[in-house]
Each structure stands twice: as C-alpha cells, then as structure tokens.
Amino acid sequence: MQNQPHPPVIFLMGPTASGKTALSVQLAQALNGEIISVDSALVFKGMDIGTAKPMMDERGGIPHHLIDILDPAEAYSTGQFRKQALAIMDDISRRGKIPILVGGTMLYFKVLNSGLAVLPEADPIIRAKLDQDLAQLGKETLHQRLAEIDPEAAARIHPNDPQRVQRALEVYAISGKPLTSFFSAAQAQDIPYQKIKLIIAPQDRAILHGIIARRFKQMLEQGFIDEVATLYQRGDLTDKIPSIRAVGYRQAWSYLQGEYDLETMTEKAIIATRQLAKRQFTWLRRETASANFQTGQKDLLAKVLAEIDGQLSSLDRGGCQTEVS
C-alpha cells in the first residue's frame, strides 16, 4: 500500500494592487487550474470597476469562482466563504485540476487554515447602542474602549474599521469575554490539502503606493463614479452595509452625498487603500512556509512555476512511501 498524499492547493496572497490577478490567470493556464476568488468585495454583482474585478477577457478562459454571486444588499460571512470554497476546491480536485485561491481578504485565508470561532449572535439592541456611540463619540473613542477590554483585538483592528470594532465590542457586551478569547479557543480545523503558499508584493511600499494612486485614477476614468451612482440611486443601499463600506465605495458614496468634492474624495480613497494594504502586510508577515516574490520582477511566472514544481515534486516523493504492515 502507498500513502496517498492530499491533493495540492495554491494560495496566492498579497496586498491590493500587487499583481495577483494577472499572475493567477497565468498560473491557471500553465497548471490546468481553476481560480477561486478570496475577496470579500468581488462576491458582489455590479461592483466591477472599484473592486478591480477581472473582466471576461482578462480571465483568459479560466473559470473563476466566488465572483458575482451576491446582490450588494446581501451579507456574506467568513463561514459562508469557507463552506463554499471547500466545496469548490473538492470539485476542482476531483476533476484532476488544481484549485488556485487568490485574493487579499486575509481573514478568508485564515479560516481555511484554522477553522471558525463560534461567536455570539448579533444583538440588535446592543448594536443600535454602539451605532449611537459611534455617531456621538467617534471611532477613536470606540477603538480606545476596545483597547481597554481586548488589547490584542485593538492592535489587530484599525480605528478606521469601525464595523469590526463594533462587532468586537458587541461580542464582549453579550458574553463578557473578549473577542480574542473566542479565536484562541477555536480548535484548528486543517483542510485535507497540501498547501503551496505564495506571496507577491512590491519590494518597496512606495512603489505600491504609486500603483494604488494610478489605479484609482484609472478607475475614475473608467467610470467608477457612475458605477457607484447606480448603486446609490437604487435607494435600498446605505453606507452602513458591508458592500458599500468597501474601500473606494464608501468614499465615493460620501462624494455623492455631497460630503466631499472630487479631489478630496480621490485623496481619501487612495489613503484608505494604502491603509488596507498596510493591514494586509501585517497579516502576511504572520504567514509561515510561504514563498515570496516581487511584483514586476524579471521572469516572475517562470520563477513561480519553478517553486510550485519543486513543491509538487516533493509531494509526489512523499506519496511514494510504502506503509509497513
């Protein structure tokens, strides 16, 4: 008998605007793979320009999963992502292909590795009180309150992410326990795959900042404001829901409400995107056993394929060991 190795899966991670999308398509073409989006904004229909969603001609004939699956009015949880991603990974592997998970929502990658913590259900009364506190006291005060009860969560959650700050405060108000304790108590639920982890990012963050600024200005030229205006005019969406709180969208929403002029909105959106990239870098520094590559480096595809081939060869050798009976 032979030990049967788990099938491979590729995790392609990196900060926003680092070149993950184009590289993932090239990898899928070279490796007979299919792409699973690991992005909390790409799931929404009608949000194309501001999310840098790959259009059909950019997908190179490769199936892309978990894109355009929800209306912006709907919510999408990490639990839903994990369940759907695992089902798709299983289907791709059974068909003899390699699942390639690509994106920048690091929490989604984490739940694939570590499973989910079971958190208390939302309490509308507590949430309403927190919304009131946010409006009256401001996001900095709420973040300071979180730092007092759960320093680790406060270090992990940026003050400019009041939705997650409020959720952490809500969990504490309901349970009397800090949010971090739920994640610490969660038992790891490793997935039955051999994970090949790849990270792509510019060597210098100043380079990434330049790319982010150019990309957002290009989005404006492509009609981003009109895209957000279409959502705004629906009348059933607000800037309190996850889809509209996505980076870029919430700033454009404020512009449409008359809170900013176009120049101020552009500056705020670029700054918010840089802050997102900074948080993604923080997550990526915790990644272990990953191979790192630089955005735009010479022969990038060839070097990434060589890394993958080396790891796949190692997996094959591991599967040829004979069991002793």
Side-chain angles (χ1 to χ4, degrees):
M1 295 177 61
Q2 290 183 325
N3 290 326
Q4 295 299 318
H6 291 313
V9 60
I10 295 172
F11 286 3
L12 179 56
M13 303 171 284
T16 185
S18 59
K20 300 183 298 295
T21 298
L23 179 58
S24 68
V25 170
Q26 294 175 318
L27 290 178
Q29 291 171 334
L31 298 170
N32 189 29
E34 294 187 11
I35 293 170
I36 301 173
S37 171
V38 187
D39 190 296
S40 60
L42 292 188
V43 297
F44 296 114
K45 301 173 185 176
M47 295 175 59
D48 304 330
I49 298 173
T51 61
K53 186 179 295 176
M55 297 295 98
M56 294 307 298
D57 60 335
E58 296 175 295
R59 300 181 192 182
I62 300 299
H64 282 60
H65 304 274
L66 298 185
I67 290 179
D68 288 333
I69 61 173
L70 291 178
D71 183 87
E74 299 178 81
Y76 192 62
S77 69
T78 52
Q80 287 174 292
F81 167 78
R82 188 177 196 272
K83 181 178 180 180
Q84 294 175 4
L86 287 174
I88 296 167
M89 290 161 63
D90 180 65
D91 176 64
I92 293 172
S93 296
R94 287 179 184 276
R95 289 187 280 110
K97 296 188 173 186
I98 297 179
I100 302 173
L101 287 95
V102 54
T105 302
M106 302 305 166
L107 182 60
Y108 286 1
F109 281 116
K110 184 177 186 299
V111 300
L112 284 177
N113 278 318
S114 306
L116 281 169
V118 181
L119 301 178
E121 293 186 8
D123 185 308
I125 296 176
I126 293 175
R127 178 53 59 89
K129 179 62 169 61
L130 288 168
D131 285 340
Q132 183 181 13
D133 289 348
L134 178 63
Q136 294 179 348
L137 304 175
K139 59 188 179 183
E140 289 80 9
T141 298
L142 263 64
H143 191 266
Q144 179 58 40
R145 188 186 300 175
L146 177 61
E148 293 171 0
I149 62 172
D150 191 350
E152 187 174 335
R156 188 175 65 249
I157 303 173
H158 196 277
N160 288 334
D161 194 353
Q163 186 178 21
R164 290 179 63 204
V165 171
Q166 286 177 290
R167 177 54 175 155
L169 291 171
E170 180 188 39
V171 168
Y172 183 80
I174 294 170
S175 67
K177 300 177 182 178
L179 178 66
T180 301
S181 68
F182 287 89
F183 291 108
S184 300
Q187 293 184 350
Q189 304 168 29
D190 202 7
I191 56 176
Y193 291 86
Q194 295 286 350
K195 296 183 285 288
I196 299 174
K197 296 182 179 181
L198 311 171
I199 295 175
I200 179 172
Q203 184 177 19
D204 187 342
R205 289 201 194 181
I207 296 174
L208 183 62
H209 290 173
I211 296 172
I212 286 171
R214 289 192 297 272
R215 187 174 75 164
F216 188 75
K217 291 174 181 177
Q218 183 180 34
M219 288 175 177
L220 292 175
E221 294 171 358
Q222 293 170 339
F224 176 52
I225 297 300
D226 290 337
E227 177 176 277
V228 182
T230 298
L231 300 171
Y232 187 84
Q233 291 162 5
R234 281 179 41 164
D236 63 331
L237 305 175
T238 75
D239 57 1
K240 303 297 183 184
I241 62 175
S243 60
I244 305 304
R245 292 203 59 77
V247 168
Y249 286 87
R250 65 175 178 265
Q251 289 79 22
W253 197 271
S254 296
Y255 164 72
L256 293 172
Q257 289 180 319
E259 296 178 29
Y260 309 138
D261 59 24
L262 183 62
E263 182 179 356
T264 301
M265 183 278 294
T266 300
E267 180 183 4
K268 286 183 175 294
I270 291 172
I271 290 172
T273 308
R274 291 176 179 175
Q275 291 170 338
L276 169 63
K278 182 179 179 180
R279 295 194 297 272
Q280 290 169 322
F281 272 116
T282 299
W283 277 90
L284 290 168
R285 282 197 295 269
R286 302 189 192 112
E287 279 297 334
T288 57
S290 59
N292 292 267
F293 300 90
Q294 294 177 18
T295 300
Q297 73 180 83
K298 186 178 180 181
D299 299 325
L300 173 63
L301 177 61
K303 291 175 180 177
V304 174
L305 286 172
E307 172 67 28
I308 294 171
D309 183 64
Q311 293 202 36
L312 289 176
S313 298
S314 175
L315 297 180
D316 289 341
R317 290 193 298 271
C320 292
Q321 297 172 354
T322 302
E323 292 183 344
V324 178
S325 58

